[in-house]
């Protein structure tokens, strides 16, 4: 039976028990359709299948590729492309219920020309990214309906506040953002108010569904928020070189999302990453051939580097899931 | 005929003329075996083929996967795995001349057990990464020869100084590092002294061959060094949302290596990247559907995110090369 000691390195390792713990905690807090898991956080249809098994049949995607793979995996009951897209040519062919976010006349027209039938009006609630101004949402909805689209409601991502550590402040700012979304929804209509993320999953007063993704595998940044989710994925490396002051392991910039900075490891203090190396000061000393667990600073762009994740129960390797939604 | 305006986004675009310019400039400075191109910089066997066409038949790799793909592509005349590796099981099967770096008894033993026949002794010349101490190099070489290995010489990467902007200082520090390598070589013997990178390609006084990779596509960081190489790859994005102060394009953390910070764009000032978004202040204003060129801050980990690069002559798409050495 294979154990983690038999695996090639660098490898991503997913602890099945910790994943189940995260999925169960979220399914309890936001059962069924109250959660629309965002697959961009993991890009893995097998993991999405576990989220569906936990009761959530509706999903968020960030790319057309993610939509395609989810549909092919039989997980297309209700797929929301929670992103603006102009190249809609591949959406009409999907064997899935497809809803697309729109925030402009151009993205509305692209939805129509791509044969999309359902949309959400994406509203800017404070994050400088996509989303129309709240005042423009009603006009867009009217125009969409005139063009034959079903407008299911609104979405708005309060991404600028999901990381605020102070809970009271996070709640206050979230309520402010959601007030904007509520007003837009009054103009737009529809059943859906889609918003939120792992940072605000339990304090969004307005949303009918929460678009959380990171909760399943977790991020070091979200650890500070006091949520019941734990880091379930790590990078598994082999020490390939040792000197007096430091050791070198066999994974680096091409196996780690680096926008949140260096990874961390219980094995010592990280000095720096190179393309395929991690230089760190081991504590205690290590030998060539020892293996270490490295915690990526940002999970989403880390998984996007890997072809697969190995699933373990304790040290036993029980499965191997392709990260099959990579690319575009 | 397809042009860049027909391509899906996000896409990586490679300017064929600029690539040729870089390859020609390097082949003139370091013809034939004086250069051992490092394929980790691009992970693309089609690009490696152009480097061979420019006269360089010997290559460097950083991973076993890179060795495998290069051998399969018929580019295995002389492949150096310029990295320490303990899992050598896949190396014996390669249809290629295989040389592996060793810096310890353990990596030496791994080479023997993997059926490797030729090695270089990797010497630490100042960068805190792999490499034995210069004093230990002769002992390792003796031990390797006793175990039946052919010791071709030494390698040592002065990666801690390749980015020093002041040329005189760079030369001085490089000479210091190479003095260490020269002394180790005196103990080790063999024909090969392999060292250097794009930053020091023209000021290494000792190396018989230079392990440069970045010169082919170039990096923003290396632009400051006054070398004759130009940035030949960019990320091609579509503007998907526009507001008064900023615009949003459809590529971000999952299409860009971020360890050197944010990318840059002639289209305006970059604010921040999200997983699949780039928020920037366009100058002049842009409309939804406009496309922009984005220059990655670090090329190597950028290419590792992409399945392919589109090759263009002007705006015409003339080819599509798989980034086929990704993964491990």
């Amino acid at each position: 039976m294979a154990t983690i000691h038999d695996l090639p390195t660098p490898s991503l390792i997913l602890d099945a028990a910790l994943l189940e713990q995260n999925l169960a905690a979220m399914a309890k807090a936001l059962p069924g359709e109250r959660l629309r898991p965002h697959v961009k956080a993991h890009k893995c249809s097998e993991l999405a299948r576990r989220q569906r098994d936990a009761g959530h049949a509706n999903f968020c995607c960030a790319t057309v590729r993610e939509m395609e793979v989810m549909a092919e995996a039989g997980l297309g009951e209700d797929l929301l492309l929670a992103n603006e897209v102009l190249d809609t040519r591949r959406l009409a062919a999907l064997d899935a219920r497809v809803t697309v976010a729109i925030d402009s006349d151009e993205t509305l027209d692209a939805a129509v020309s791509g044969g999309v039938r359902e949309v959400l009006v994406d509203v800017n609630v404070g994050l400088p990214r996509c989303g129309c101004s709240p005042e423009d949402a009603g006009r867009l909805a009217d125009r969409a309906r005139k063009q034959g689209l079903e407008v299911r409601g609104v979405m708005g991502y309060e991404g600028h506040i999901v990381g605020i550590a102070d809970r009271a402040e996070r709640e206050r700012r979230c309520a402010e953002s959601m007030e904007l979304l509520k007003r837009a929804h009054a103009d737009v209509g529809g059943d859906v108010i889609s918003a939120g993320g792992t940072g605000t999953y339990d304090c969004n007063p307005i949303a009918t569904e929460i678009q959380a993704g990171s909760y399943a595998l977790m991020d070091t940044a979200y650890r500070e928020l006091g949520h019941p989710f734990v880091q379930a994925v790590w990078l598994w490396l082999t020490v390939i070189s040792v000197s007096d002051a430091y050791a070198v392991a066999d994974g680096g910039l091409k196996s780690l999302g680096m926008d949140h900075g260096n990874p961390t490891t219980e094995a010592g203090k990280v000095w720096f990453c190179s393309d395929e190396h991690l230089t760190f000061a081991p504590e205690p000393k290590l030998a060539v051939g020892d293996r270490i667990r490295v915690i990526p600073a940002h999970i989403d762009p880390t998984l996007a580097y890997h072809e697969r994740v190995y699933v373990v129960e304790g040290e036993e390797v029980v499965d191997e899931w392709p990260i099959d939604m990579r690319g575009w």
Side-chain angles (χ1 to χ4, degrees), chain A residues 6 16 101 108 132 155 231 234-235 239 258 277 297 307:
Chain A
D6 306 312
L108 192 171
C132 66
M155 66 164 263
Q231 199 110 15
W234 72 86
L235 184 68
V239 174
M258 292 296 293
H277 298 110
E307 291 170 81

Side-chain angles (χ1 to χ4, degrees), chain A residues 161-226:
Chain A
I161 60 170
V162 293
I164 295 175
D166 181 71
R167 184 176 175 93
E169 174 71 0
R170 192 163 76 245
E171 286 185 7
R172 189 183 67 73
R173 299 279 305 275
C174 184
E176 277 177 12
S177 280
M178 289 304 107
E179 198 51 43
L180 298 174
L181 191 58
K182 190 178 174 183
R183 271 188 268 157
H185 180 249
D187 295 339
V188 167
D191 297 331
V192 177
I193 303 178
S194 195
T198 296
T200 53
Y201 85 103
D202 63 347
C203 67
N204 190 309
I206 302 294
T208 61
E209 60 179 38
I210 298 291
Q211 299 183 1
S214 299
Y215 78 97
L217 304 178
M218 277 299 279
D219 256 328
T220 45
Y222 278 129
R223 276 196 304 206
E224 313 307 317
L225 302 184

Side-chain angles (χ1 to χ4, degrees), chain A residues 8 61 70 241 292:
Chain A
C61 299
M70 287 292 285
S241 190
I292 64 170

Side-chain angles (χ1 to χ4, degrees), chain A residues 10 33 77 103 132 148 160 185 194 282 287 293 304 307 310 318:
Chain A
E33 299 192 351
E77 195 168 313
D103 72 351
C132 66
H160 55 308
H185 180 249
S194 195
R293 290 160 48 115
E307 291 170 81
Y310 294 96
V318 295

Side-chain angles (χ1 to χ4, degrees), chain A residues 68-88:
Chain A
E68 287 177 333
V69 175
M70 287 292 285
E72 284 160 20
L75 297 166
E77 195 168 313
D78 186 342
L79 295 181
L80 168 62
L81 182 48
N83 196 2
E84 276 56 34
V85 61
L86 292 171
D87 183 356
T88 53

Side-chain angles (χ1 to χ4, degrees), chain A residues 5 13 20 40 52 76 81-82 118 182 233 240 260 263 275 293 295 321 327:
Chain A
H5 305 288
I13 312 280
E20 283 308 316
K40 81 180 175 77
R52 193 190 58 181
L81 182 48
E118 298 183 283
K182 190 178 174 183
V233 160
I240 55 170
H260 287 185
D275 277 358
R293 290 160 48 115
I295 308 296
W321 294 346

